[in-house]
Amino acid sequence: RKCFRALCCKGPPPPRPEYDLVCIGLSGSGKTSLLSQLCSESPENIVSTTGFSIKAVPFQNAILNVKELGGADNIRKYWSRYYQGSQGVIFVLDSASSEDDLETARNELHSALQHPQLCTLPFLILANHQDKPAARSVQEIKKYFELEPLARGKRWILKPCSLDDMEAVKDSFSLLINLLEERDFEPSRM
Ligand SMILES: Nc1nc2c(ncn2[C@@H]2O[C@H](COP(=O)(O)OP(=O)(O)OP(=O)(O)O)[C@@H](O)[C@H]2O)c(=O)[nH]1
Ligand SMILES: [Mg+2]
């Protein structure tokens, strides 16, 4: 009987921690599609994001308030105005895009990694569109994006993914949540 009580009468579960994240990446990289899937929203009628869009994405052990910034050419220059208050960064790229777009994505990622408001935060970099035959592998992307020197000492995760394998996407987000939690437990510095 005691055992039964212990199992069933524990009261409400503790509230899940919430984190504010910013999600960037070129137009068409799949930011809205991935975030909608994570929120179990219908994948239909997704249009290019003008300005920004905020979603509360629920996970078992945390809620991520993700602010997606539209990736179109004329919006990207305003990205940095929306960085303040972020606790982590999600960068989505199209692994099958043209050489030109890949170079633009690399430059944008480098700017983000060096931005004063983002440079100390954990980064989740998603090499999306892996279902396409032209997709570059995560190793190729790691090399092309020259992440090693730039991101050294930072907490970042680079993972391949595609819209049709949401389990892999969820696993990547779990790793990001681990990085966000680590910060919570960091002893305060004197
Ligand atoms: N084949 C394939 N298509 C994808 C994948 N992810 C997204 N797409 C498609 O790419 C298109 C653009 O996706 P969006 O989610 O609107 O891209 P976005 O990054 O939000 O773009 P902006 O809001 O303009 O910055 C949609 O037609 C998606 O269905 C993927 O992994 N594989
Ligand atoms: Mg979008």
Side-chain angles (χ1 to χ4, degrees):
R1 182 129 166 245
K2 231 179 187 172
C3 199
F4 183 78
R5 279 179 69 96
L7 278 173
C8 304
C9 307
K10 281 190 296 194
R16 284 176 282 181
E18 294 192 29
Y19 298 100
D20 292 335
L21 304 183
V22 68
C23 177
I24 52 180
L26 300 194
S27 190
S29 57
K31 302 181 293 298
T32 307
S33 309
L34 292 172
L35 295 170
S36 302
Q37 283 283 314
L38 289 171
C39 292
S40 312
E41 288 169 10
S42 148
E44 287 150 49
N45 311 320
I46 286 178
V47 293
S48 180
T49 308
T50 48
F52 65 88
S53 141
I54 300 180
K55 281 190 201 306
V57 191
F59 291 90
Q60 208 159 31
N61 53 352
I63 294 170
L64 303 184
N65 298 312
V66 183
K67 179 164 61 185
E68 181 207 336
L69 309 182
D73 289 350
N74 57 340
I75 317 180
R76 286 206 302 276
K77 56 177 175 281
Y78 303 113
W79 275 358
S80 59
R81 296 189 187 183
Y82 298 92
Y83 288 165
Q84 204 171 7
S86 304
Q87 295 169 286
V89 183
I90 303 158
F91 188 94
V92 184
L93 64 101
D94 177 351
S95 316
S97 65
S98 70
E99 201 71 27
D100 273 3
D101 283 349
L102 211 62
E103 195 183 329
T104 307
R106 177 177 66 180
N107 294 338
E108 293 293 357
L109 178 58
H110 283 194
S111 304
L113 282 166
Q114 296 175 86
H115 192 277
Q117 278 168 342
L118 305 184
C119 65
T120 61
L121 305 180
F123 272 69
L124 170 62
I125 304 161
L126 291 174
N128 196 25
H129 293 250
Q130 286 290 328
D131 55 305
K132 293 181 177 168
R136 291 154 186 88
S137 71
V138 82
Q139 285 78 14
E140 287 172 291
I141 286 175
K142 190 171 176 179
K143 204 168 155 213
Y144 182 85
F145 274 63
E146 295 168 321
L147 286 173
E148 283 298 356
L150 242 187
R152 189 170 297 148
K154 296 193 206 299
R155 294 162 303 160
W156 58 279
I157 305 157
L158 168 65
K159 289 284 178 194
C161 73
S162 68
L163 202 50
D164 57 14
D165 183 8
M166 287 307 293
E167 283 311 308
V169 176
K170 283 179 194 162
D171 288 346
S172 301
F173 272 83
S174 292
L175 297 174
L176 177 64
I177 291 169
N178 289 345
L179 291 184
L180 292 162
E181 282 170 346
E182 266 172 34
R183 159 142 296 190
D184 282 354
F185 297 128
E186 239 171 22
S188 60
R189 296 209 177 83
M190 305 277 286

